[in-house]
PDB file of all heavy atoms in Angstrom:
ATOM      1  N   ARG A 263    -113.054 -15.165 -15.061  1.00  0.00           N
ATOM      2  CA  ARG A 263    -114.414 -14.870 -14.587  1.00  0.00           C
ATOM      3  C   ARG A 263    -114.457 -13.388 -14.327  1.00  0.00           C
ATOM      4  O   ARG A 263    -113.759 -12.855 -13.491  1.00  0.00           O
ATOM      5  CB  ARG A 263    -114.641 -15.592 -13.210  1.00  0.00           C
ATOM      6  CG  ARG A 263    -116.017 -15.356 -12.661  1.00  0.00           C
ATOM      7  CD  ARG A 263    -117.171 -15.951 -13.435  1.00  0.00           C
ATOM      8  NE  ARG A 263    -117.296 -17.416 -13.134  1.00  0.00           N
ATOM      9  CZ  ARG A 263    -118.294 -18.111 -13.771  1.00  0.00           C
ATOM     10  NH1 ARG A 263    -119.162 -17.533 -14.623  1.00  0.00           N
ATOM     11  NH2 ARG A 263    -118.440 -19.305 -13.391  1.00  0.00           N
ATOM     12  N   ASP A 653    -133.261 -37.069  18.551  1.00  0.00           N
ATOM     13  CA  ASP A 653    -134.057 -37.694  17.545  1.00  0.00           C
ATOM     14  C   ASP A 653    -133.231 -38.624  16.666  1.00  0.00           C
ATOM     15  O   ASP A 653    -133.642 -39.025  15.562  1.00  0.00           O
ATOM     16  CB  ASP A 653    -134.695 -36.618  16.537  1.00  0.00           C
ATOM     17  CG  ASP A 653    -135.915 -35.912  17.243  1.00  0.00           C
ATOM     18  OD1 ASP A 653    -136.512 -36.616  18.003  1.00  0.00           O
ATOM     19  OD2 ASP A 653    -136.114 -34.766  16.869  1.00  0.00           O
ATOM     20  N   GLU A 682    -137.262 -43.601  -2.604  1.00  0.00           N
ATOM     21  CA  GLU A 682    -138.615 -43.440  -2.637  1.00  0.00           C
ATOM     22  C   GLU A 682    -139.371 -44.393  -3.584  1.00  0.00           C
ATOM     23  O   GLU A 682    -140.514 -44.614  -3.482  1.00  0.00           O
ATOM     24  CB  GLU A 682    -139.031 -41.997  -2.989  1.00  0.00           C
ATOM     25  CG  GLU A 682    -138.788 -41.009  -1.824  1.00  0.00           C
ATOM     26  CD  GLU A 682    -139.288 -39.651  -1.987  1.00  0.00           C
ATOM     27  OE1 GLU A 682    -138.816 -38.997  -3.028  1.00  0.00           O
ATOM     28  OE2 GLU A 682    -140.231 -39.301  -1.380  1.00  0.00           O
ATOM     29  N   LYS A 718    -130.648 -33.934   3.313  1.00  0.00           N
ATOM     30  CA  LYS A 718    -131.788 -33.354   2.589  1.00  0.00           C
ATOM     31  C   LYS A 718    -133.152 -33.689   3.225  1.00  0.00           C
ATOM     32  O   LYS A 718    -134.015 -32.797   3.354  1.00  0.00           O
ATOM     33  CB  LYS A 718    -131.769 -33.897   1.147  1.00  0.00           C
ATOM     34  CG  LYS A 718    -132.767 -33.307   0.215  1.00  0.00           C
ATOM     35  CD  LYS A 718    -132.754 -33.805  -1.159  1.00  0.00           C
ATOM     36  CE  LYS A 718    -133.953 -33.340  -1.950  1.00  0.00           C
ATOM     37  NZ  LYS A 718    -134.100 -34.173  -3.145  1.00  0.00           N
ATOM     38  N   SER A 859    -144.399 -52.056  10.862  1.00  0.00           N
ATOM     39  CA  SER A 859    -145.313 -51.584  11.876  1.00  0.00           C
ATOM     40  C   SER A 859    -145.021 -50.092  12.228  1.00  0.00           C
ATOM     41  O   SER A 859    -145.752 -49.403  12.945  1.00  0.00           O
ATOM     42  CB  SER A 859    -145.289 -52.393  13.125  1.00  0.00           C
ATOM     43  OG  SER A 859    -143.937 -52.285  13.642  1.00  0.00           O
ATOM     44  N   ARG A 867    -144.185 -46.762   0.913  1.00  0.00           N
ATOM     45  CA  ARG A 867    -145.400 -46.766   0.124  1.00  0.00           C
ATOM     46  C   ARG A 867    -145.105 -47.569  -1.254  1.00  0.00           C
ATOM     47  O   ARG A 867    -145.871 -48.359  -1.686  1.00  0.00           O
ATOM     48  CB  ARG A 867    -145.858 -45.395  -0.166  1.00  0.00           C
ATOM     49  CG  ARG A 867    -147.157 -45.291  -1.053  1.00  0.00           C
ATOM     50  CD  ARG A 867    -148.287 -45.973  -0.351  1.00  0.00           C
ATOM     51  NE  ARG A 867    -149.353 -46.349  -1.336  1.00  0.00           N
ATOM     52  CZ  ARG A 867    -150.349 -45.660  -1.564  1.00  0.00           C
ATOM     53  NH1 ARG A 867    -150.667 -44.499  -0.902  1.00  0.00           N
ATOM     54  NH2 ARG A 867    -151.311 -46.140  -2.425  1.00  0.00           N
TER      55      ARG A 867
ATOM     56  N   MET B   1    -119.099 -20.995 -17.458  1.00  0.00           N
ATOM     57  CA  MET B   1    -119.821 -21.808 -16.481  1.00  0.00           C
ATOM     58  C   MET B   1    -120.722 -20.855 -15.620  1.00  0.00           C
ATOM     59  O   MET B   1    -120.372 -19.783 -15.331  1.00  0.00           O
ATOM     60  CB  MET B   1    -118.822 -22.467 -15.548  1.00  0.00           C
ATOM     61  CG  MET B   1    -119.497 -23.537 -14.698  1.00  0.00           C
ATOM     62  SD  MET B   1    -118.353 -24.139 -13.406  1.00  0.00           S
ATOM     63  CE  MET B   1    -116.891 -24.445 -14.265  1.00  0.00           C
ATOM     64  N   ASN B  13    -119.223 -21.177  -8.742  1.00  0.00           N
ATOM     65  CA  ASN B  13    -119.380 -21.967 -10.012  1.00  0.00           C
ATOM     66  C   ASN B  13    -120.440 -23.006  -9.763  1.00  0.00           C
ATOM     67  O   ASN B  13    -120.484 -23.716  -8.744  1.00  0.00           O
ATOM     68  CB  ASN B  13    -118.070 -22.602 -10.391  1.00  0.00           C
ATOM     69  CG  ASN B  13    -117.037 -21.564 -10.999  1.00  0.00           C
ATOM     70  OD1 ASN B  13    -117.452 -20.513 -11.281  1.00  0.00           O
ATOM     71  ND2 ASN B  13    -115.805 -22.027 -11.098  1.00  0.00           N
ATOM     72  N   CYS B  32    -152.921 -41.360   0.042  1.00  0.00           N
ATOM     73  CA  CYS B  32    -152.945 -41.113  -1.425  1.00  0.00           C
ATOM     74  C   CYS B  32    -153.111 -42.302  -2.209  1.00  0.00           C
ATOM     75  O   CYS B  32    -152.913 -43.501  -1.700  1.00  0.00           O
ATOM     76  CB  CYS B  32    -151.691 -40.326  -1.877  1.00  0.00           C
ATOM     77  SG  CYS B  32    -150.218 -41.378  -1.895  1.00  0.00           S
ATOM     78  N   ASP B  34    -152.446 -45.085  -5.349  1.00  0.00           N
ATOM     79  CA  ASP B  34    -151.277 -45.650  -6.036  1.00  0.00           C
ATOM     80  C   ASP B  34    -150.801 -44.695  -7.142  1.00  0.00           C
ATOM     81  O   ASP B  34    -149.611 -44.440  -7.287  1.00  0.00           O
ATOM     82  CB  ASP B  34    -151.466 -47.026  -6.574  1.00  0.00           C
ATOM     83  CG  ASP B  34    -151.460 -48.055  -5.494  1.00  0.00           C
ATOM     84  OD1 ASP B  34    -151.397 -47.711  -4.291  1.00  0.00           O
ATOM     85  OD2 ASP B  34    -151.756 -49.198  -5.866  1.00  0.00           O
ATOM     86  N   TYR B  40    -145.814 -38.876  -8.025  1.00  0.00           N
ATOM     87  CA  TYR B  40    -144.927 -38.184  -7.186  1.00  0.00           C
ATOM     88  C   TYR B  40    -143.489 -38.743  -7.314  1.00  0.00           C
ATOM     89  O   TYR B  40    -142.517 -38.022  -7.435  1.00  0.00           O
ATOM     90  CB  TYR B  40    -145.352 -38.311  -5.696  1.00  0.00           C
ATOM     91  CG  TYR B  40    -144.269 -37.947  -4.660  1.00  0.00           C
ATOM     92  CD1 TYR B  40    -143.774 -36.685  -4.566  1.00  0.00           C
ATOM     93  CD2 TYR B  40    -143.708 -39.006  -3.913  1.00  0.00           C
ATOM     94  CE1 TYR B  40    -142.793 -36.381  -3.653  1.00  0.00           C
ATOM     95  CE2 TYR B  40    -142.636 -38.699  -2.919  1.00  0.00           C
ATOM     96  CZ  TYR B  40    -142.241 -37.405  -2.870  1.00  0.00           C
ATOM     97  OH  TYR B  40    -141.236 -37.104  -1.975  1.00  0.00           O
ATOM     98  N   ARG B  88    -141.029 -29.264  12.993  1.00  0.00           N
ATOM     99  CA  ARG B  88    -140.742 -30.637  12.879  1.00  0.00           C
ATOM    100  C   ARG B  88    -141.914 -31.374  12.189  1.00  0.00           C
ATOM    101  O   ARG B  88    -143.088 -31.116  12.517  1.00  0.00           O
ATOM    102  CB  ARG B  88    -140.637 -31.254  14.300  1.00  0.00           C
ATOM    103  CG  ARG B  88    -140.310 -32.586  14.511  1.00  0.00           C
ATOM    104  CD  ARG B  88    -140.411 -32.937  15.985  1.00  0.00           C
ATOM    105  NE  ARG B  88    -140.489 -34.434  16.067  1.00  0.00           N
ATOM    106  CZ  ARG B  88    -139.469 -35.244  16.577  1.00  0.00           C
ATOM    107  NH1 ARG B  88    -138.333 -34.603  16.897  1.00  0.00           N
ATOM    108  NH2 ARG B  88    -139.620 -36.456  16.613  1.00  0.00           N
TER     109      ARG B  88
END
Side-chain angles (χ1 to χ4, degrees):
Chain A
R263 179 70 82 179
D653 283 332
E682 286 192 295
K718 188 183 170 194
S859 65
R867 180 63 202 262
Chain B
M1 193 190 314
N13 285 346
C32 73
D34 284 2
Y40 163 69
R88 181 189 164 104

